[in-house]
Amino acid sequence: MAEHKPDHVDAIVDQWRRERPDLELDAMAILGRLGRLLIVAQRVIEAVFTAHGLHRGEFDVLAALRRSGDPWELNPSVLADTLMLSRAGMTGRLDRLESAGLVRRIADPDDRRAVRVALTDDGRTLIDKVVTAHTENETRMLSVLSAKDRRELDRIVRALLGSLEEDA
């Protein structure tokens, strides 16, 4: 097996080994690296959104609308639930996106008291462009791994996440 260059997590684990040799530290090392990976990956991902004039939350709204299928519209509460946001948080995002001309609020044809949120043509054009750049960026981020390693990593992360979500 190839030697790995020591990293920040190794330094922390080594300090704990010195101070508390009685502790099992493999999990700390793995979860520490996953945590650092999340922070670094989020920065790289956010850079794509920023380059297109969006924040992550705005991308999430546009993406949820786009993947909902033609006619690319949803009830605001469904959007909020999908994105695990409060209704107030969703309203703020929708206000910004509507001001930018990327979504519009329209009357719900089935309930005159309700509204739906729809992608505008500009919103659909932008989200298609951004999601293409986003998936290319994510693919590039994982290109250091072979296809076999990516499948194995997906299997491992899926198993770990499933186990933790059962406990949550």
Side-chain angles (χ1 to χ4, degrees):
M1 189 157 126
E3 281 293 312
H4 296 283
K5 178 181 166 191
D7 63 12
H8 182 75
V9 174
D10 286 321
I12 292 169
V13 171
D14 288 345
Q15 290 170 337
W16 278 117
R17 276 198 183 104
R18 182 188 70 233
E19 295 299 316
R20 292 288 310 274
D22 59 307
L23 295 176
E24 170 55 55
L25 299 169
D26 289 347
M28 179 187 280
I30 292 167
L31 292 172
R33 283 191 183 88
L34 287 173
R36 288 183 60 81
L37 175 63
L38 178 62
I39 291 167
V40 172
Q42 282 179 328
R43 282 189 213 134
V44 175
I45 289 168
E46 295 279 343
V48 170
F49 303 147
T50 301
H52 292 88
L54 294 174
H55 292 92
R56 175 65 185 243
E58 295 162 343
F59 168 84
D60 290 343
V61 171
L62 296 175
L65 288 166
R66 178 62 175 97
R67 68 177 183 263
S68 73
D70 194 358
W72 308 292
E73 59 185 56
L74 292 170
N75 176 296
S77 60
V78 170
L79 264 174
D81 291 344
T82 299
L83 301 176
M84 295 180 283
L85 277 178
S86 69
R87 303 299 191 257
M90 179 55 66
T91 298
R93 286 185 189 179
L94 293 177
D95 288 346
R96 288 189 300 276
L97 290 167
E98 190 172 37
S99 292
L102 301 174
V103 301
R104 68 182 188 285
R105 290 176 171 106
I106 58 174
D108 187 324
D110 300 325
D111 182 352
R112 293 184 320 160
R113 298 165 298 163
V115 298
R116 295 183 63 78
V117 178
L119 273 177
T120 62
D121 289 342
D122 287 347
R124 184 164 163 238
T125 298
L126 179 62
I127 193 57
D128 282 349
K129 181 178 177 182
V130 177
V131 80
T132 298
H134 175 55
T135 57
E136 289 170 352
N137 186 41
E138 289 180 324
T139 298
R140 183 191 55 74
M141 289 168 58
L142 294 179
S143 67
V144 67
L145 302 175
S146 69
K148 179 182 175 189
D149 287 345
R150 287 190 303 271
R151 286 189 302 273
E152 183 65 6
L153 179 59
D154 183 59
R155 184 191 67 73
I156 291 167
V157 172
R158 184 183 301 266
L160 181 59
L161 182 60
S163 170
L164 293 172
E165 285 179 336
E166 286 174 8
D167 295 342

